[in-house]
Protein backbone atom coordinates (compact mmCIF):
# COMPACT_ATOMS: atom_id res chain seq x y z
CA UNK A 1 0.00 0.00 0.00
CA UNK A 2 2.81 2.37 0.89
CA UNK A 3 4.11 2.34 -2.69
CA UNK A 4 0.81 3.77 -3.91
CA UNK A 5 0.91 6.82 -1.64
CA UNK A 6 2.37 9.94 -3.19
CA UNK A 7 5.61 11.15 -1.64
CA UNK A 8 4.28 14.50 -0.36
CA UNK A 9 1.50 12.73 1.58
CA UNK A 10 3.92 10.27 3.18
CA UNK A 11 6.31 13.09 4.04
CA UNK A 12 3.55 15.12 5.69
CA UNK A 13 2.48 12.11 7.79
CA UNK A 14 6.05 11.60 8.89
CA UNK A 15 6.54 15.25 9.77
CA UNK A 16 3.42 15.32 11.94
CA UNK A 17 4.37 12.05 13.64
CA UNK A 18 7.96 13.01 14.37
CA UNK A 19 6.73 16.29 15.86
CA UNK A 20 5.09 14.19 18.57
CA UNK A 21 1.55 13.90 17.20
CA UNK A 22 -0.46 11.01 15.84
CA UNK A 23 -1.28 11.32 12.15
CA UNK A 24 -3.08 8.89 9.85
CA UNK A 25 -4.40 8.85 6.31
CA UNK A 26 -8.16 8.51 6.65
CA UNK A 27 -11.47 8.07 4.83
CA UNK A 28 -11.93 7.85 1.09
CA UNK A 29 -8.23 7.67 0.25
CA UNK A 30 -7.67 4.64 2.51
CA UNK A 31 -10.72 2.97 0.95
CA UNK A 32 -9.47 3.70 -2.55
CA UNK A 33 -5.91 2.52 -1.78
CA UNK A 34 -7.21 -0.77 -0.34
CA UNK A 35 -9.23 -1.22 -3.51
CA UNK A 36 -6.16 -0.57 -5.63
CA UNK A 37 -7.63 2.67 -6.99
CA UNK A 38 -5.96 6.04 -7.22
CA UNK A 39 -7.50 8.33 -4.61
CA UNK A 40 -8.94 11.68 -5.68
CA UNK A 41 -7.64 13.44 -2.60
CA UNK A 42 -5.63 12.67 0.50
CA UNK A 43 -7.10 13.39 3.92
CA UNK A 44 -5.03 13.22 7.07
CA UNK A 45 -6.48 12.97 10.55
CA UNK A 46 -4.29 13.99 13.46
CA UNK A 47 -4.18 14.51 17.21
CA UNK A 48 -2.49 17.87 16.58
CA UNK A 49 -4.62 20.98 16.94
CA UNK A 50 -4.90 23.28 13.91
CA UNK A 51 -2.37 25.66 15.50
CA UNK A 52 0.07 22.79 16.00
CA UNK A 53 -0.48 21.66 12.41
CA UNK A 54 0.26 25.16 11.19
CA UNK A 55 3.41 25.23 13.26
CA UNK A 56 4.60 21.92 11.77
CA UNK A 57 4.08 23.25 8.25
CA UNK A 58 5.26 26.82 8.97
CA UNK A 59 6.60 28.49 5.84
CA UNK A 60 4.63 26.25 3.47
CA UNK A 61 1.59 27.03 1.37
CA UNK A 62 -1.32 26.71 3.76
CA UNK A 63 -4.98 27.22 2.94
CA UNK A 64 -7.03 28.08 5.99
CA UNK A 65 -10.54 27.90 4.56
CA UNK A 66 -11.55 24.90 6.67
CA UNK A 67 -10.04 26.19 9.88
CA UNK A 68 -13.41 26.57 11.56
CA UNK A 69 -13.88 22.81 11.29
CA UNK A 70 -10.35 22.08 12.37
CA UNK A 71 -9.02 21.58 8.84
CA UNK A 72 -5.73 22.96 7.58
CA UNK A 73 -4.95 22.36 3.92
CA UNK A 74 -1.29 22.15 3.00
CA UNK A 75 -0.32 22.39 -0.65
CA UNK A 76 2.64 20.12 -1.34
CA UNK A 77 4.01 19.75 -4.86
CA UNK A 78 0.58 20.69 -6.16
CA UNK A 79 -1.11 18.03 -4.01
CA UNK A 80 -3.61 19.44 -1.52
CA UNK A 81 -3.45 17.61 1.81
CA UNK A 82 -6.44 18.18 4.08
CA UNK A 83 -5.25 17.82 7.63
CA UNK A 84 -8.05 17.68 10.19
CA UNK A 85 -7.81 17.42 13.95
CA UNK A 86 -9.47 14.33 15.50
CA UNK A 87 -12.97 15.48 16.15
CA UNK A 88 -16.34 14.46 17.44
CA UNK A 89 -19.58 15.90 16.19
CA UNK A 90 -21.91 16.98 18.97
CA UNK A 91 -25.69 17.12 18.68
CA UNK A 92 -27.41 17.67 15.33
CA UNK A 93 -30.65 19.64 15.28
CA UNK A 94 -31.07 20.56 11.61
CA UNK A 95 -30.57 17.03 10.19
CA UNK A 96 -27.54 18.24 8.33
CA UNK A 97 -24.84 20.00 10.38
CA UNK A 98 -23.52 19.26 13.83
CA UNK A 99 -24.43 22.05 16.23
CA UNK A 100 -20.83 22.00 17.36
CA UNK A 101 -17.72 19.93 16.95
CA UNK A 102 -15.12 19.28 19.56
CA UNK A 103 -11.60 18.00 19.34
CA UNK A 104 -10.82 14.65 20.88
CA UNK A 105 -7.56 12.90 21.64
CA UNK A 106 -8.90 9.57 20.42
CA UNK A 107 -8.68 8.37 16.82
CA UNK A 108 -11.58 5.94 17.50
CA UNK A 109 -13.92 8.87 18.19
CA UNK A 110 -12.95 10.49 14.93
CA UNK A 111 -13.58 7.28 13.02
CA UNK A 112 -16.93 6.78 14.73
CA UNK A 113 -18.31 10.08 13.37
CA UNK A 114 -17.66 8.99 9.78
CA UNK A 115 -20.50 7.86 7.56
CA UNK A 116 -19.79 4.32 6.31
CA UNK A 117 -17.53 1.53 7.51
CA UNK A 118 -15.54 1.56 4.26
CA UNK A 119 -14.95 5.31 4.80
CA UNK A 120 -13.96 4.92 8.45
CA UNK A 121 -10.53 3.32 8.24
CA UNK A 122 -7.22 4.99 9.01
CA UNK A 123 -3.70 4.09 7.94
CA UNK A 124 -0.40 4.88 9.64
CA UNK A 125 3.02 4.44 7.97
CA UNK A 126 4.37 2.41 10.93
CA UNK A 127 1.23 1.08 12.66
CA UNK A 128 -0.63 0.07 9.52
CA UNK A 129 -4.41 -0.08 9.25
CA UNK A 130 -6.83 0.92 12.02
CA UNK A 131 -10.23 -0.57 11.29
CA UNK A 132 -12.58 -0.32 14.29
CA UNK A 133 -15.81 -0.99 12.35
CA UNK A 134 -14.93 -3.90 10.06
CA UNK A 135 -14.54 -1.71 7.06
CA UNK A 136 -12.16 -4.17 5.45
CA UNK A 137 -14.73 -6.96 5.54
CA UNK A 138 -17.37 -4.66 4.04
CA UNK A 139 -14.90 -3.57 1.40
CA UNK A 140 -14.21 -7.15 0.50
CA UNK A 141 -17.93 -7.94 0.34
CA UNK A 142 -18.58 -4.66 -1.45
CA UNK A 143 -21.11 -3.37 1.04
CA UNK A 144 -22.04 0.16 2.12
CA UNK A 145 -22.99 0.06 5.79
CA UNK A 146 -23.41 2.89 8.26
CA UNK A 147 -20.99 3.23 11.15
CA UNK A 148 -23.29 2.67 14.12
CA UNK A 149 -27.05 2.76 14.00
CA UNK A 150 -28.28 3.76 10.52
CA UNK A 151 -31.47 5.47 11.78
CA UNK A 152 -29.45 7.71 14.04
CA UNK A 153 -26.75 8.46 11.52
CA UNK A 154 -29.27 9.45 8.81
CA UNK A 155 -31.24 11.49 11.31
CA UNK A 156 -28.08 13.39 12.26
CA UNK A 157 -27.17 14.19 8.68
CA UNK A 158 -29.65 13.34 5.95
CA UNK A 159 -27.09 13.91 3.19
CA UNK A 160 -25.68 10.52 4.20
CA UNK A 161 -28.81 8.92 2.70
CA UNK A 162 -27.79 10.14 -0.73
CA UNK A 163 -24.12 9.48 -0.08
CA UNK A 164 -24.98 5.82 0.54
CA UNK A 165 -26.65 5.64 -2.87
CA UNK A 166 -23.84 7.59 -4.47
CA UNK A 167 -21.13 5.23 -3.19
CA UNK A 168 -23.24 2.19 -4.12
CA UNK A 169 -23.32 3.54 -7.67
CA UNK A 170 -19.73 4.78 -8.03
CA UNK A 171 -18.09 1.81 -6.28
CA UNK A 172 -20.64 -0.71 -7.56
CA UNK A 173 -21.39 -1.88 -4.00
CA UNK A 174 -24.61 -3.10 -2.48
CA UNK A 175 -26.16 -1.34 0.51
CA UNK A 176 -26.45 -3.38 3.70
CA UNK A 177 -30.14 -4.26 4.29
CA UNK A 178 -30.34 -2.33 7.61
CA UNK A 179 -28.71 0.72 6.08
CA UNK A 180 -30.94 0.47 3.00
CA UNK A 181 -34.11 0.10 5.07
CA UNK A 182 -33.23 3.14 7.17
CA UNK A 183 -32.38 5.18 4.07
CA UNK A 184 -35.77 4.37 2.55
CA UNK A 185 -37.70 4.92 5.77
CA UNK A 186 -36.07 8.28 6.46
CA UNK A 187 -35.92 9.59 2.92
CA UNK A 188 -38.14 12.59 3.67
CA UNK A 189 -35.31 14.02 5.77
CA UNK A 190 -33.63 14.91 2.49
CA UNK A 191 -35.91 17.94 2.47
CA UNK A 192 -33.52 19.44 5.02
CA UNK A 193 -30.54 19.19 2.70
CA UNK A 194 -29.61 22.08 0.43
CA UNK A 195 -30.48 21.59 -3.21
CA UNK A 196 -26.92 22.26 -4.32
CA UNK A 197 -25.61 19.42 -2.17
CA UNK A 198 -28.33 17.12 -3.42
CA UNK A 199 -27.53 18.04 -7.00
CA UNK A 200 -23.83 17.32 -6.51
CA UNK A 201 -24.52 13.87 -5.02
CA UNK A 202 -27.07 13.05 -7.72
CA UNK A 203 -24.59 13.94 -10.44
CA UNK A 204 -21.94 11.65 -8.94
CA UNK A 205 -24.54 8.90 -8.52
CA UNK A 206 -25.64 9.23 -12.14
CA UNK A 207 -22.06 8.99 -13.37
CA UNK A 208 -21.37 5.75 -11.48
CA UNK A 209 -21.11 2.36 -13.16
CA UNK A 210 -23.98 0.91 -11.09
CA UNK A 211 -26.41 3.75 -11.83
CA UNK A 212 -29.06 1.45 -13.29
CA UNK A 213 -29.22 -0.80 -10.23
CA UNK A 214 -29.27 2.12 -7.81
CA UNK A 215 -31.96 4.08 -9.68
CA UNK A 216 -34.16 1.01 -10.02
CA UNK A 217 -33.60 -0.12 -6.45
CA UNK A 218 -33.85 3.23 -4.67
CA UNK A 219 -35.99 5.53 -6.83
CA UNK A 220 -38.34 6.41 -3.94
CA UNK A 221 -35.36 8.14 -2.32
CA UNK A 222 -34.45 9.96 -5.52
CA UNK A 223 -38.09 10.97 -5.86
CA UNK A 224 -37.83 13.16 -2.77
CA UNK A 225 -35.74 15.77 -4.59
CA UNK A 226 -37.12 14.76 -8.04
CA UNK A 227 -40.80 13.82 -7.51
CA UNK A 228 -41.27 13.64 -11.29
CA UNK A 229 -39.63 10.19 -11.16
CA UNK A 230 -42.61 8.78 -9.33
CA UNK A 231 -44.96 8.79 -12.32
CA UNK A 232 -42.28 7.15 -14.49
CA UNK A 233 -41.95 4.17 -12.16
CA UNK A 234 -44.28 1.34 -13.11
CA UNK A 235 -45.64 3.12 -16.19
CA UNK A 236 -46.12 0.25 -18.65
CA UNK A 237 -45.43 1.69 -22.10
CA UNK A 238 -47.85 -0.76 -23.77
CA UNK A 239 -45.60 -1.01 -26.78
CA UNK A 240 -43.69 -3.80 -28.48
CA UNK A 241 -40.71 -1.46 -28.68
CA UNK A 242 -40.28 -1.40 -24.93
CA UNK A 243 -39.49 -4.08 -22.39
CA UNK A 244 -39.13 -1.70 -19.41
CA UNK A 245 -41.35 0.79 -17.68
CA UNK A 246 -40.37 4.42 -18.27
CA UNK A 247 -38.15 4.66 -15.20
CA UNK A 248 -36.30 1.40 -15.82
CA UNK A 249 -35.88 2.41 -19.45
CA UNK A 250 -34.35 5.72 -18.38
CA UNK A 251 -32.08 3.98 -15.89
CA UNK A 252 -30.94 1.55 -18.60
CA UNK A 253 -30.31 4.48 -20.95
CA UNK A 254 -28.18 6.16 -18.26
CA UNK A 255 -26.03 3.07 -17.94
CA UNK A 256 -25.66 2.80 -21.71
CA UNK A 257 -24.25 6.31 -22.25
CA UNK A 258 -20.81 7.62 -21.37
CA UNK A 259 -20.33 8.65 -17.73
CA UNK A 260 -20.54 12.33 -18.57
CA UNK A 261 -22.69 14.56 -16.38
CA UNK A 262 -24.64 16.27 -19.17
CA UNK A 263 -25.31 13.03 -21.03
CA UNK A 264 -26.29 11.10 -17.91
CA UNK A 265 -28.68 13.80 -16.71
CA UNK A 266 -30.20 13.90 -20.21
CA UNK A 267 -30.56 10.12 -20.19
CA UNK A 268 -32.33 10.18 -16.82
CA UNK A 269 -34.70 12.94 -17.90
CA UNK A 270 -35.17 12.35 -21.64
CA UNK A 271 -38.54 10.66 -21.13
CA UNK A 272 -39.65 12.42 -17.94
CA UNK A 273 -42.55 13.94 -19.91
CA UNK A 274 -43.86 10.55 -21.02
CA UNK A 275 -46.37 10.05 -18.20
CA UNK A 276 -48.01 13.38 -19.08
CA UNK A 277 -48.19 12.47 -22.79
CA UNK A 278 -49.41 8.88 -22.52
CA UNK A 279 -52.30 7.90 -24.79
CA UNK A 280 -53.68 4.51 -25.81
CA UNK A 281 -54.93 3.94 -29.35
CA UNK A 282 -57.89 1.74 -30.33
CA UNK A 283 -55.59 -1.24 -30.63
CA UNK A 284 -54.40 -0.75 -27.06
CA UNK A 285 -50.93 0.44 -28.00
CA UNK A 286 -49.32 3.22 -26.00
CA UNK A 287 -48.16 6.48 -27.61
CA UNK A 288 -46.37 9.52 -26.21
CA UNK A 289 -46.90 12.22 -28.81
CA UNK A 290 -44.90 15.36 -28.15
CA UNK A 291 -43.11 13.90 -25.16
CA UNK A 292 -39.64 15.19 -26.09
CA UNK A 293 -40.80 18.77 -25.83
CA UNK A 294 -42.64 18.16 -22.57
CA UNK A 295 -39.61 16.29 -21.18
CA UNK A 296 -37.37 19.21 -22.11
CA UNK A 297 -39.62 21.65 -20.28
CA UNK A 298 -39.74 19.42 -17.22
CA UNK A 299 -35.98 18.85 -17.30
CA UNK A 300 -35.51 22.60 -17.27
CA UNK A 301 -37.79 22.90 -14.24
CA UNK A 302 -36.07 20.07 -12.38
CA UNK A 303 -32.54 21.33 -12.99
CA UNK A 304 -33.51 24.88 -12.15
CA UNK A 305 -35.02 23.68 -8.89
CA UNK A 306 -31.76 21.84 -8.14
CA UNK A 307 -29.89 25.11 -8.74
CA UNK A 308 -27.81 23.96 -11.67
CA UNK A 309 -25.97 26.65 -13.60
CA UNK A 310 -27.59 28.13 -16.71
CA UNK A 311 -25.22 26.44 -19.15
CA UNK A 312 -25.92 22.96 -17.77
CA UNK A 313 -29.67 23.59 -17.81
CA UNK A 314 -29.63 24.84 -21.38
CA UNK A 315 -27.58 21.94 -22.68
CA UNK A 316 -29.44 19.14 -20.90
CA UNK A 317 -32.74 20.70 -21.96
CA UNK A 318 -31.53 20.87 -25.55
CA UNK A 319 -30.32 17.26 -25.58
CA UNK A 320 -33.62 16.16 -24.06
CA UNK A 321 -35.63 18.10 -26.63
CA UNK A 322 -33.65 16.55 -29.49
CA UNK A 323 -33.38 12.99 -28.18
CA UNK A 324 -35.81 11.58 -30.72
CA UNK A 325 -35.12 14.07 -33.50
CA UNK A 326 -34.23 12.14 -36.66
CA UNK A 327 -30.66 13.11 -37.49
CA UNK A 328 -30.76 11.45 -40.87
CA UNK A 329 -34.22 12.12 -42.27
CA UNK A 330 -34.84 10.21 -45.51
CA UNK A 331 -35.33 13.43 -47.50
CA UNK A 332 -31.82 14.64 -46.77
CA UNK A 333 -28.40 13.12 -47.19
CA UNK A 334 -26.85 11.97 -43.94
CA UNK A 335 -23.87 14.17 -44.63
CA UNK A 336 -25.99 17.30 -44.93
CA UNK A 337 -27.98 16.45 -41.83
CA UNK A 338 -24.86 15.79 -39.77
CA UNK A 339 -23.24 19.04 -40.89
CA UNK A 340 -26.31 21.06 -39.98
CA UNK A 341 -26.69 19.55 -36.55
CA UNK A 342 -22.97 19.75 -35.85
CA UNK A 343 -23.15 23.43 -36.64
CA UNK A 344 -26.19 23.92 -34.45
CA UNK A 345 -24.96 22.04 -31.37
CA UNK A 346 -21.20 22.26 -31.63
CA UNK A 347 -19.03 19.16 -31.71
CA UNK A 348 -19.21 18.21 -28.03
CA UNK A 349 -22.99 18.31 -27.70
CA UNK A 350 -23.50 16.75 -31.13
CA UNK A 351 -21.57 13.68 -29.97
CA UNK A 352 -23.48 13.74 -26.69
CA UNK A 353 -26.72 13.69 -28.64
CA UNK A 354 -25.56 10.67 -30.66
CA UNK A 355 -24.53 8.96 -27.44
CA UNK A 356 -27.93 9.72 -25.88
CA UNK A 357 -29.75 8.39 -28.93
CA UNK A 358 -27.61 5.27 -28.89
CA UNK A 359 -28.24 4.71 -25.18
CA UNK A 360 -31.96 5.31 -25.66
CA UNK A 361 -32.00 2.72 -28.43
CA UNK A 362 -30.08 0.15 -26.39
CA UNK A 363 -32.67 0.53 -23.62
CA UNK A 364 -35.48 -0.61 -25.93
CA UNK A 365 -36.78 -4.18 -26.27
CA UNK A 366 -34.02 -6.44 -27.65
CA UNK A 367 -35.55 -6.66 -31.13
CA UNK A 368 -35.68 -2.86 -31.45
CA UNK A 369 -32.17 -1.66 -30.77
CA UNK A 370 -31.21 -1.10 -34.39
CA UNK A 371 -30.93 2.69 -34.08
CA UNK A 372 -27.79 2.19 -32.02
CA UNK A 373 -25.91 0.98 -35.11
CA UNK A 374 -27.21 3.96 -37.09
CA UNK A 375 -25.80 6.24 -34.38
CA UNK A 376 -22.44 4.50 -34.67
CA UNK A 377 -22.42 5.12 -38.42
CA UNK A 378 -23.40 8.76 -38.00
CA UNK A 379 -20.65 9.21 -35.44
CA UNK A 380 -18.06 7.75 -37.80
CA UNK A 381 -19.34 10.00 -40.56
CA UNK A 382 -19.17 13.08 -38.35
CA UNK A 383 -15.62 12.29 -37.25
CA UNK A 384 -14.61 11.88 -40.87
CA UNK A 385 -16.23 15.19 -41.85
CA UNK A 386 -14.47 16.94 -39.01
CA UNK A 387 -11.15 15.38 -39.96
CA UNK A 388 -11.64 16.58 -43.53
CA UNK A 389 -12.51 20.06 -42.27
CA UNK A 390 -15.92 19.78 -43.84
CA UNK A 391 -17.79 21.14 -40.87
CA UNK A 392 -18.40 24.76 -41.38
CA UNK A 393 -19.90 26.99 -38.74
CA UNK A 394 -20.35 30.74 -38.61
CA UNK A 395 -16.89 30.82 -37.07
CA UNK A 396 -15.23 29.07 -39.98
CA UNK A 397 -17.42 30.49 -42.75
CA UNK A 398 -15.18 32.08 -45.41
CA UNK A 399 -17.20 35.31 -45.22
CA UNK A 400 -17.58 37.35 -42.05
CA UNK A 401 -19.65 40.36 -41.01
CA UNK A 402 -16.71 42.62 -41.84
CA UNK A 403 -16.74 41.48 -45.48
CA UNK A 404 -20.41 42.39 -45.75
CA UNK A 405 -19.78 45.80 -44.18
CA UNK A 406 -17.13 46.37 -46.84
CA UNK A 407 -19.80 45.62 -49.45
CA UNK A 408 -21.79 48.51 -48.04
CA UNK A 409 -24.26 46.50 -46.05
CA UNK A 410 -25.53 47.98 -42.81
CA UNK A 411 -24.80 46.11 -39.59
CA UNK A 412 -27.81 44.67 -37.79
CA UNK A 413 -30.14 41.69 -37.70
CA UNK A 414 -30.48 41.61 -41.50
CA UNK A 415 -26.75 41.01 -41.76
CA UNK A 416 -26.99 38.17 -39.24
CA UNK A 417 -29.73 36.59 -41.30
CA UNK A 418 -27.66 36.90 -44.46
CA UNK A 419 -24.70 35.17 -42.80
CA UNK A 420 -27.05 32.39 -41.69
CA UNK A 421 -28.29 32.03 -45.25
CA UNK A 422 -24.74 31.78 -46.56
CA UNK A 423 -23.90 29.14 -43.97
CA UNK A 424 -27.06 27.24 -44.82
CA UNK A 425 -26.06 27.29 -48.51
CA UNK A 426 -22.63 25.85 -47.66
CA UNK A 427 -24.10 23.19 -45.38
CA UNK A 428 -26.62 22.25 -48.06
CA UNK A 429 -23.85 21.87 -50.61
CA UNK A 430 -25.27 24.71 -52.75
CA UNK A 431 -22.15 26.83 -52.33
CA UNK A 432 -18.47 26.26 -51.63
CA UNK A 433 -17.03 27.69 -48.45
CA UNK A 434 -14.97 30.06 -50.50
CA UNK A 435 -14.81 33.86 -50.21
CA UNK A 436 -15.48 35.06 -53.74
CA UNK A 437 -18.30 32.60 -54.33
CA UNK A 438 -19.95 33.51 -51.07
CA UNK A 439 -19.63 37.25 -51.65
CA UNK A 440 -21.27 36.81 -55.04
CA UNK A 441 -24.05 34.84 -53.42
CA UNK A 442 -24.42 37.52 -50.74
CA UNK A 443 -24.92 40.21 -53.40
CA UNK A 444 -27.43 38.05 -55.16
CA UNK A 445 -29.38 37.37 -51.99
CA UNK A 446 -29.53 41.07 -51.05
CA UNK A 447 -30.78 41.99 -54.50
CA UNK A 448 -33.43 39.29 -54.35
CA UNK A 449 -34.77 40.60 -51.08
P1 LIG B 1 -14.65 10.92 -2.79
O1 LIG B 1 -13.76 12.04 -2.40
O2 LIG B 1 -14.03 9.85 -3.61
O3 LIG B 1 -15.95 11.39 -3.33
P2 LIG B 1 -14.65 10.39 0.02
O4 LIG B 1 -14.98 9.16 0.80
O5 LIG B 1 -13.27 10.91 0.12
O6 LIG B 1 -15.06 10.12 -1.47
P3 LIG B 1 -15.49 12.97 0.94
O7 LIG B 1 -16.80 13.65 0.74
O8 LIG B 1 -14.28 13.54 0.30
O9 LIG B 1 -15.70 11.46 0.47
O10 LIG B 1 -15.28 12.85 2.50
C1 LIG B 1 -14.08 12.38 3.07
C2 LIG B 1 -14.40 11.51 4.29
O11 LIG B 1 -15.08 12.28 5.29
C3 LIG B 1 -15.32 10.33 4.01
O12 LIG B 1 -14.59 9.22 3.55
C4 LIG B 1 -15.95 10.10 5.36
O13 LIG B 1 -15.07 9.40 6.21
C5 LIG B 1 -16.10 11.50 5.91
N1 LIG B 1 -17.39 12.13 5.58
C6 LIG B 1 -17.66 12.96 4.53
N2 LIG B 1 -18.93 13.39 4.56
C7 LIG B 1 -19.50 12.85 5.64
C8 LIG B 1 -20.79 12.92 6.24
N3 LIG B 1 -21.77 13.65 5.69
N4 LIG B 1 -21.00 12.24 7.39
C9 LIG B 1 -20.01 11.50 7.96
N5 LIG B 1 -18.79 11.39 7.45
C10 LIG B 1 -18.51 12.05 6.31
MG1 LIG C 1 -12.59 12.72 -0.72
Amino acid sequence: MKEMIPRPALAALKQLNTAGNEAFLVGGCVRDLLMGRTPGDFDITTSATPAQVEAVFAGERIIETGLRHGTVTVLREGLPLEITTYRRDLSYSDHRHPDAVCFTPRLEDDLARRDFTVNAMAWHPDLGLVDCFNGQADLKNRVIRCVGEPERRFDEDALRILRALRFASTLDFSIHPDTAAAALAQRQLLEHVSRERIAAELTKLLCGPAVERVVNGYWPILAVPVPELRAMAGLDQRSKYHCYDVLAHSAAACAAVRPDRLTRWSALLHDVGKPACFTLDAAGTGHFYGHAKVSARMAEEILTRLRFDKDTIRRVTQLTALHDYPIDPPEESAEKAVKKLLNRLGEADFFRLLDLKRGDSLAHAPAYRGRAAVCDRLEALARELIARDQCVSLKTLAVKGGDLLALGMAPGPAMGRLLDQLLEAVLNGEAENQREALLALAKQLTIDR
Side-chain angles (χ1 to χ4, degrees):
M1 176 139 147
K2 212 167 185 168
E3 323 67 69
M4 293 179 63
I5 302 167
R7 206 161 29 94
L10 275 178
L13 282 174
K14 193 164 173 202
Q15 247 172 290
L16 282 162
N17 281 311
T18 47
N21 310 291
E22 291 174 17
F24 292 78
L25 283 184
V26 72
C29 65
V30 176
R31 175 199 70 219
D32 289 343
L33 288 166
L34 288 171
M35 291 179 78
R37 296 180 173 213
T38 311
D41 40 34
F42 286 85
D43 295 333
I44 291 175
T45 187
T46 180
S47 60
T49 63
Q52 289 170 325
V53 173
E54 288 194 311
V56 170
F57 296 101
E60 297 201 43
R61 280 197 61 191
I62 289 182
I63 304 161
E64 295 188 336
T65 42
L67 217 51
R68 232 161 34 95
H69 307 106
T71 301
V72 175
T73 303
V74 175
L75 209 61
R76 273 263 170 109
E77 297 175 33
L79 188 71
L81 301 167
E82 283 207 355
I83 306 172
T84 308
T85 306
Y86 291 167
R87 108 188 184 197
R88 277 191 304 138
D89 298 334
L90 302 178
S91 58
Y92 289 73
S93 42
D94 69 351
H95 303 291
R96 175 67 191 99
H97 309 95
D99 300 326
V101 300
C102 71
F103 297 143
T104 156
R106 285 165 33 97
L107 173 65
E108 291 72 22
D109 292 341
D110 184 82
L111 296 179
R113 78 173 166 91
R114 294 175 183 272
D115 47 7
F116 307 113
T117 58
V118 295
N119 287 347
M121 291 180 276
W123 181 86
H124 188 283
D126 304 322
L127 307 173
L129 198 70
V130 177
D131 178 13
C132 310
F133 304 101
N134 284 325
Q136 254 184 311
D138 285 340
L139 202 61
K140 187 162 154 271
N141 297 321
R142 307 175 75 84
V143 178
I144 298 297
R145 182 203 310 253
C146 283
V147 171
E149 225 182 292
E151 288 77 17
R152 203 177 120 219
R153 302 313 308 282
F154 291 147
D155 187 66
E156 287 173 352
D157 177 1
L159 183 66
R160 291 172 188 153
I161 296 172
L162 267 193
R163 282 175 61 88
L165 270 51
R166 185 256 278 196
F167 286 117
S169 173
T170 57
L171 300 173
D172 194 3
F173 280 21
S174 65
I175 304 179
H176 186 275
D178 297 344
T179 297
L184 278 161
Q186 288 169 288
R187 61 184 186 271
Q188 289 307 332
L189 290 176
L190 281 171
E191 284 166 4
H192 298 279
V193 179
S194 82
R195 291 166 180 186
E196 290 84 349
R197 293 305 296 260
I198 286 184
E201 289 300 327
L202 287 177
T203 297
K204 288 181 187 168
L205 187 165
L206 286 177
C207 292
V211 54
E212 185 174 2
R213 184 170 50 78
V214 171
V215 169
N216 284 328
Y218 298 99
W219 64 264
I221 295 175
L222 304 179
V224 175
V226 188
E228 290 84 351
L229 298 179
R230 206 176 296 277
M232 295 161 73
L235 181 68
D236 182 342
Q237 309 206 48
R238 305 287 283 272
S239 147
K240 64 179 180 183
Y241 300 113
H242 284 281
C243 56
Y244 300 121
D245 68 34
V246 178
L247 186 75
H249 162 73
S250 305
C254 271
V257 300
R258 266 172 297 165
D260 158 80
R261 53 194 287 276
L262 297 176
T263 321
R264 290 257 165 131
W265 269 108
S266 306
L268 180 73
L269 300 178
H270 76 283
D271 278 348
V272 68
K274 270 192 169 180
C277 299
F278 183 58
T279 54
L280 269 181
D281 65 19
T285 300
H287 299 279
F288 302 93
Y289 299 114
H291 79 276
K293 222 173 162 179
V294 176
S295 297
R297 211 191 54 230
M298 291 173 71
E300 185 176 10
E301 276 168 23
I302 291 166
L303 298 176
T304 304
R305 196 197 312 138
L306 291 173
R307 312 262 199 273
F308 274 95
D309 59 283
K310 284 211 168 62
D311 184 61
T312 301
I313 297 171
R314 182 185 62 76
R315 293 165 79 179
V316 172
T317 304
Q318 176 168 265
L319 289 168
T320 301
L322 292 175
H323 82 266
D324 65 350
Y325 175 89
I327 292 186
D328 54 342
E331 68 274 12
E332 225 175 24
S333 82
E335 186 165 321
K336 235 189 242 180
V338 166
K339 281 184 185 174
K340 276 193 192 166
L341 210 56
L342 255 168
N343 171 57
R344 182 166 154 203
L345 298 181
E347 260 179 52
D349 282 351
F350 175 79
F351 287 119
R352 285 195 175 95
L353 180 62
L354 281 182
D355 197 24
L356 176 63
K357 291 171 83 66
R358 184 190 299 113
D360 184 7
S361 169
L362 292 174
H364 278 63
Y368 299 96
R369 295 177 183 171
R371 296 284 310 168
V374 175
C375 292
D376 290 340
R377 279 203 296 282
L378 290 171
E379 177 160 348
L381 172 62
R383 298 218 183 268
E384 185 207 315
L385 290 172
I386 290 167
R388 285 199 285 125
D389 247 350
Q390 289 292 297
C391 290
V392 181
S393 65
L394 278 179
K395 259 196 218 137
T396 51
L397 194 67
V399 163
K400 304 259 184 282
D403 299 306
L404 299 180
L405 282 177
L407 279 187
M409 193 174 175
M415 183 184 283
R417 276 198 298 278
L418 184 55
L419 284 169
D420 283 338
Q421 277 178 296
L422 295 177
L423 176 62
E424 183 82 13
V426 172
L427 294 173
N428 279 330
E430 294 153 17
E432 285 287 306
N433 187 24
Q434 195 262 340
R435 206 177 115 89
E436 269 63 47
L438 287 180
L439 286 177
L441 180 59
K443 275 187 205 153
Q444 172 114 47
L445 288 168
T446 24
I447 295 165
D448 289 351
R449 265 188 190 163

